[in-house]
Short mmCIF file of all heavy atoms in Angstrom, two decimals:
data_model
loop_
_atom_site.label_atom_id
_atom_site.label_comp_id
_atom_site.label_asym_id
_atom_site.label_seq_id
_atom_site.Cartn_x
_atom_site.Cartn_y
_atom_site.Cartn_z
N ASN A 1 22.00 55.57 -0.77
CA ASN A 1 22.56 56.12 -2.00
C ASN A 1 24.00 56.58 -1.74
O ASN A 1 24.49 56.53 -0.61
CB ASN A 1 21.69 57.27 -2.53
CG ASN A 1 21.55 58.41 -1.53
OD1 ASN A 1 22.51 58.80 -0.88
ND2 ASN A 1 20.34 58.94 -1.42
N GLU A 2 24.65 57.00 -2.78
CA GLU A 2 26.08 57.38 -2.69
C GLU A 2 26.32 58.52 -1.70
O GLU A 2 27.29 58.52 -0.95
CB GLU A 2 26.58 57.75 -4.08
CG GLU A 2 28.09 57.84 -4.16
CD GLU A 2 28.58 58.05 -5.58
OE1 GLU A 2 28.01 57.44 -6.51
OE2 GLU A 2 29.53 58.83 -5.74
N LYS A 3 25.42 59.49 -1.70
CA LYS A 3 25.57 60.64 -0.79
C LYS A 3 25.53 60.19 0.67
O LYS A 3 26.33 60.63 1.50
CB LYS A 3 24.46 61.66 -1.06
CG LYS A 3 24.50 62.86 -0.16
CD LYS A 3 23.34 63.79 -0.47
CE LYS A 3 23.29 64.93 0.53
NZ LYS A 3 22.12 65.77 0.35
N LEU A 4 24.60 59.29 0.99
CA LEU A 4 24.50 58.80 2.36
C LEU A 4 25.67 57.90 2.73
O LEU A 4 26.11 57.90 3.88
CB LEU A 4 23.17 58.08 2.56
CG LEU A 4 21.94 58.98 2.52
CD1 LEU A 4 20.66 58.15 2.61
CD2 LEU A 4 21.98 60.02 3.62
N VAL A 5 26.20 57.15 1.78
CA VAL A 5 27.39 56.34 2.04
C VAL A 5 28.56 57.26 2.40
O VAL A 5 29.28 57.01 3.36
CB VAL A 5 27.75 55.45 0.83
CG1 VAL A 5 29.12 54.81 1.00
CG2 VAL A 5 26.69 54.38 0.62
N GLU A 6 28.71 58.34 1.65
CA GLU A 6 29.77 59.32 1.95
C GLU A 6 29.58 59.91 3.34
O GLU A 6 30.54 60.09 4.09
CB GLU A 6 29.81 60.42 0.90
CG GLU A 6 30.38 59.98 -0.43
CD GLU A 6 31.79 59.44 -0.32
OE1 GLU A 6 32.64 60.03 0.39
OE2 GLU A 6 32.07 58.39 -0.94
N ARG A 7 28.34 60.23 3.69
CA ARG A 7 28.06 60.78 5.02
C ARG A 7 28.41 59.77 6.10
O ARG A 7 28.98 60.11 7.12
CB ARG A 7 26.60 61.21 5.13
CG ARG A 7 26.31 61.92 6.44
CD ARG A 7 24.91 62.47 6.50
NE ARG A 7 24.73 63.47 5.47
CZ ARG A 7 23.55 63.79 4.95
NH1 ARG A 7 22.46 63.18 5.36
NH2 ARG A 7 23.45 64.71 4.02
N GLY A 8 28.07 58.50 5.86
CA GLY A 8 28.41 57.45 6.82
C GLY A 8 29.91 57.32 7.02
O GLY A 8 30.38 57.17 8.15
N ILE A 9 30.64 57.39 5.93
CA ILE A 9 32.11 57.32 6.01
C ILE A 9 32.65 58.49 6.82
O ILE A 9 33.50 58.33 7.70
CB ILE A 9 32.73 57.27 4.60
CG1 ILE A 9 32.40 55.95 3.92
CG2 ILE A 9 34.25 57.47 4.66
CD1 ILE A 9 32.72 55.92 2.44
N LEU A 10 32.15 59.70 6.54
CA LEU A 10 32.59 60.89 7.26
C LEU A 10 32.28 60.80 8.75
O LEU A 10 33.08 61.21 9.59
CB LEU A 10 31.97 62.14 6.65
CG LEU A 10 32.49 62.55 5.29
CD1 LEU A 10 31.66 63.69 4.71
CD2 LEU A 10 33.95 62.95 5.37
N ILE A 11 31.12 60.26 9.07
CA ILE A 11 30.75 60.10 10.48
C ILE A 11 31.73 59.17 11.18
O ILE A 11 32.21 59.46 12.27
CB ILE A 11 29.29 59.59 10.60
CG1 ILE A 11 28.32 60.72 10.24
CG2 ILE A 11 29.01 59.04 11.99
CD1 ILE A 11 26.88 60.27 10.11
N LEU A 12 32.03 58.04 10.55
CA LEU A 12 32.98 57.10 11.15
C LEU A 12 34.37 57.69 11.27
O LEU A 12 35.04 57.52 12.30
CB LEU A 12 33.01 55.80 10.35
CG LEU A 12 31.74 54.96 10.39
CD1 LEU A 12 31.88 53.75 9.47
CD2 LEU A 12 31.42 54.53 11.80
N GLU A 13 34.81 58.40 10.23
CA GLU A 13 36.12 59.05 10.30
C GLU A 13 36.18 60.00 11.48
O GLU A 13 37.16 60.01 12.24
CB GLU A 13 36.38 59.85 9.02
CG GLU A 13 36.77 59.04 7.82
CD GLU A 13 37.00 59.93 6.61
OE1 GLU A 13 36.01 60.49 6.08
OE2 GLU A 13 38.17 60.06 6.21
N SER A 14 35.15 60.79 11.62
CA SER A 14 35.12 61.82 12.66
C SER A 14 35.00 61.22 14.07
O SER A 14 35.78 61.56 14.96
CB SER A 14 33.94 62.76 12.40
OG SER A 14 33.76 63.66 13.45
N LEU A 15 34.03 60.35 14.27
CA LEU A 15 33.77 59.83 15.61
C LEU A 15 34.79 58.80 16.08
O LEU A 15 35.08 58.72 17.27
CB LEU A 15 32.36 59.24 15.68
CG LEU A 15 31.22 60.24 15.50
CD1 LEU A 15 29.88 59.53 15.54
CD2 LEU A 15 31.28 61.33 16.56
N ALA A 16 35.30 57.99 15.17
CA ALA A 16 36.24 56.94 15.55
C ALA A 16 37.69 57.34 15.30
O ALA A 16 38.60 56.58 15.61
CB ALA A 16 35.92 55.65 14.80
N ASN A 17 37.87 58.51 14.70
CA ASN A 17 39.21 59.02 14.42
C ASN A 17 40.03 58.01 13.61
O ASN A 17 41.13 57.62 14.02
CB ASN A 17 39.92 59.41 15.71
CG ASN A 17 41.11 60.30 15.44
OD1 ASN A 17 41.14 61.03 14.46
ND2 ASN A 17 42.11 60.25 16.31
N VAL A 18 39.46 57.57 12.49
CA VAL A 18 40.13 56.62 11.61
C VAL A 18 40.22 57.22 10.21
O VAL A 18 39.55 58.20 9.89
CB VAL A 18 39.39 55.26 11.55
CG1 VAL A 18 39.41 54.58 12.90
CG2 VAL A 18 37.97 55.42 11.04
N SER A 19 41.04 56.61 9.38
CA SER A 19 41.17 57.08 8.00
C SER A 19 39.95 56.69 7.18
O SER A 19 39.15 55.84 7.58
CB SER A 19 42.41 56.45 7.35
OG SER A 19 42.19 55.06 7.15
N ARG A 20 39.83 57.30 6.03
CA ARG A 20 38.71 57.00 5.13
C ARG A 20 38.73 55.52 4.73
O ARG A 20 37.69 54.87 4.69
CB ARG A 20 38.81 57.89 3.89
CG ARG A 20 37.75 57.59 2.85
CD ARG A 20 37.89 58.48 1.63
NE ARG A 20 36.95 58.09 0.61
CZ ARG A 20 35.65 58.34 0.62
NH1 ARG A 20 35.12 59.00 1.62
NH2 ARG A 20 34.85 57.93 -0.34
N ASP A 21 39.91 54.99 4.44
CA ASP A 21 40.02 53.59 4.03
C ASP A 21 39.55 52.65 5.13
O ASP A 21 38.83 51.68 4.86
CB ASP A 21 41.46 53.26 3.64
CG ASP A 21 41.90 53.96 2.37
OD1 ASP A 21 41.03 54.35 1.57
OD2 ASP A 21 43.12 54.12 2.18
N VAL A 22 39.95 52.93 6.36
CA VAL A 22 39.54 52.09 7.49
C VAL A 22 38.03 52.21 7.69
O VAL A 22 37.34 51.21 7.88
CB VAL A 22 40.30 52.48 8.78
CG1 VAL A 22 39.70 51.80 10.01
CG2 VAL A 22 41.77 52.15 8.65
N ALA A 23 37.51 53.42 7.64
CA ALA A 23 36.07 53.64 7.81
C ALA A 23 35.28 52.87 6.76
O ALA A 23 34.30 52.20 7.10
CB ALA A 23 35.75 55.14 7.73
N LEU A 24 35.70 52.93 5.52
CA LEU A 24 34.99 52.23 4.44
C LEU A 24 35.08 50.72 4.61
O LEU A 24 34.08 50.00 4.44
CB LEU A 24 35.55 52.65 3.07
CG LEU A 24 34.88 52.01 1.86
CD1 LEU A 24 33.37 52.30 1.84
CD2 LEU A 24 35.52 52.53 0.58
N GLU A 25 36.24 50.22 4.97
CA GLU A 25 36.42 48.78 5.15
C GLU A 25 35.55 48.25 6.29
O GLU A 25 34.88 47.22 6.14
CB GLU A 25 37.90 48.46 5.44
CG GLU A 25 38.21 46.99 5.44
CD GLU A 25 37.94 46.32 4.10
OE1 GLU A 25 38.15 46.93 3.04
OE2 GLU A 25 37.49 45.15 4.13
N VAL A 26 35.53 48.96 7.41
CA VAL A 26 34.71 48.52 8.55
C VAL A 26 33.23 48.65 8.21
O VAL A 26 32.43 47.79 8.56
CB VAL A 26 35.07 49.31 9.83
CG1 VAL A 26 34.12 48.98 10.97
CG2 VAL A 26 36.50 49.01 10.24
N LEU A 27 32.87 49.69 7.48
CA LEU A 27 31.48 49.87 7.07
C LEU A 27 31.03 48.70 6.18
O LEU A 27 29.93 48.17 6.34
CB LEU A 27 31.33 51.20 6.34
CG LEU A 27 29.93 51.75 6.13
CD1 LEU A 27 29.17 51.85 7.44
CD2 LEU A 27 30.00 53.10 5.46
N LYS A 28 31.89 48.27 5.28
CA LYS A 28 31.57 47.12 4.43
C LYS A 28 31.44 45.85 5.27
O LYS A 28 30.53 45.06 5.06
CB LYS A 28 32.64 46.93 3.36
CG LYS A 28 32.59 47.95 2.24
CD LYS A 28 33.70 47.72 1.24
CE LYS A 28 33.69 48.74 0.13
NZ LYS A 28 34.83 48.54 -0.80
N THR A 29 32.35 45.67 6.21
CA THR A 29 32.30 44.51 7.09
C THR A 29 31.01 44.51 7.91
O THR A 29 30.44 43.45 8.17
CB THR A 29 33.52 44.51 8.05
OG1 THR A 29 34.71 44.47 7.28
CG2 THR A 29 33.49 43.32 9.00
N ALA A 30 30.55 45.69 8.27
CA ALA A 30 29.33 45.85 9.07
C ALA A 30 28.07 45.88 8.22
O ALA A 30 27.03 46.36 8.68
CB ALA A 30 29.43 47.11 9.91
N ASP A 31 28.16 45.41 7.01
CA ASP A 31 27.02 45.38 6.08
C ASP A 31 26.40 46.76 5.88
O ASP A 31 25.18 46.92 5.83
CB ASP A 31 25.95 44.39 6.56
CG ASP A 31 26.48 42.98 6.69
OD1 ASP A 31 27.30 42.58 5.83
OD2 ASP A 31 26.09 42.27 7.64
N MET A 32 27.26 47.76 5.80
CA MET A 32 26.87 49.16 5.55
C MET A 32 25.98 49.72 6.66
O MET A 32 25.16 50.60 6.43
CB MET A 32 26.21 49.31 4.19
CG MET A 32 27.09 48.85 3.03
SD MET A 32 28.74 49.59 3.02
CE MET A 32 28.40 51.19 2.30
N SER A 33 26.17 49.25 7.88
CA SER A 33 25.43 49.74 9.05
C SER A 33 26.35 50.65 9.85
O SER A 33 27.33 50.19 10.44
CB SER A 33 24.96 48.57 9.92
OG SER A 33 24.50 49.05 11.16
N VAL A 34 26.02 51.94 9.89
CA VAL A 34 26.84 52.90 10.62
C VAL A 34 26.87 52.57 12.11
O VAL A 34 27.95 52.56 12.71
CB VAL A 34 26.38 54.35 10.36
CG1 VAL A 34 27.16 55.33 11.22
CG2 VAL A 34 26.54 54.71 8.88
N PRO A 35 25.73 52.29 12.77
CA PRO A 35 25.80 51.97 14.20
C PRO A 35 26.68 50.74 14.49
O PRO A 35 27.49 50.76 15.41
CB PRO A 35 24.35 51.69 14.58
CG PRO A 35 23.53 52.39 13.56
CD PRO A 35 24.34 52.33 12.30
N LEU A 36 26.53 49.71 13.68
CA LEU A 36 27.32 48.50 13.87
C LEU A 36 28.81 48.79 13.69
O LEU A 36 29.63 48.38 14.51
CB LEU A 36 26.85 47.43 12.87
CG LEU A 36 27.33 46.01 13.08
CD1 LEU A 36 26.90 45.46 14.43
CD2 LEU A 36 26.80 45.13 11.96
N ALA A 37 29.14 49.53 12.65
CA ALA A 37 30.54 49.88 12.39
C ALA A 37 31.10 50.77 13.49
O ALA A 37 32.25 50.59 13.91
CB ALA A 37 30.66 50.58 11.04
N LEU A 38 30.30 51.70 13.97
CA LEU A 38 30.78 52.61 15.02
C LEU A 38 31.07 51.86 16.31
O LEU A 38 32.10 52.09 16.95
CB LEU A 38 29.75 53.72 15.26
CG LEU A 38 30.18 54.81 16.23
CD1 LEU A 38 31.46 55.51 15.76
CD2 LEU A 38 29.06 55.84 16.38
N VAL A 39 30.19 50.94 16.67
CA VAL A 39 30.44 50.14 17.88
C VAL A 39 31.69 49.28 17.68
O VAL A 39 32.52 49.16 18.59
CB VAL A 39 29.21 49.27 18.25
CG1 VAL A 39 29.54 48.33 19.41
CG2 VAL A 39 28.02 50.16 18.58
N MET A 40 31.85 48.71 16.50
CA MET A 40 33.05 47.91 16.22
C MET A 40 34.32 48.74 16.42
O MET A 40 35.28 48.28 17.05
CB MET A 40 33.01 47.37 14.78
CG MET A 40 31.99 46.29 14.55
SD MET A 40 31.76 45.89 12.79
CE MET A 40 33.36 45.20 12.37
N LEU A 41 34.31 49.95 15.90
CA LEU A 41 35.50 50.81 15.97
C LEU A 41 35.75 51.37 17.37
O LEU A 41 36.87 51.33 17.87
CB LEU A 41 35.38 51.95 14.97
CG LEU A 41 35.54 51.56 13.50
CD1 LEU A 41 35.09 52.70 12.60
CD2 LEU A 41 36.98 51.17 13.20
#
């Protein structure tokens, strides 16, 4: 849901030290998988 998507974006921003736009773009590329996106970043 939208709340969890926001949490996923915040996690990526925080752990990978990237902007919100970058976090969202990588998350989309990773098929909305936080672990996959985090490893990518």
Side-chain angles (χ1 to χ4, degrees):
N1 59 42
E2 194 173 320
K3 179 182 174 185
L4 291 175
V5 170
E6 287 302 317
R7 186 174 297 155
I9 292 168
L10 289 172
I11 287 171
L12 292 176
E13 283 180 290
S14 173
L15 294 178
N17 197 28
V18 296
S19 70
R20 176 181 175 76
D21 292 338
V22 170
L24 181 57
E25 188 61 36
V26 173
L27 195 54
K28 286 179 181 177
T29 300
D31 301 323
M32 302 308 279
S33 168
V34 175
L36 192 60
L38 186 58
V39 174
M40 289 170 65
L41 288 167

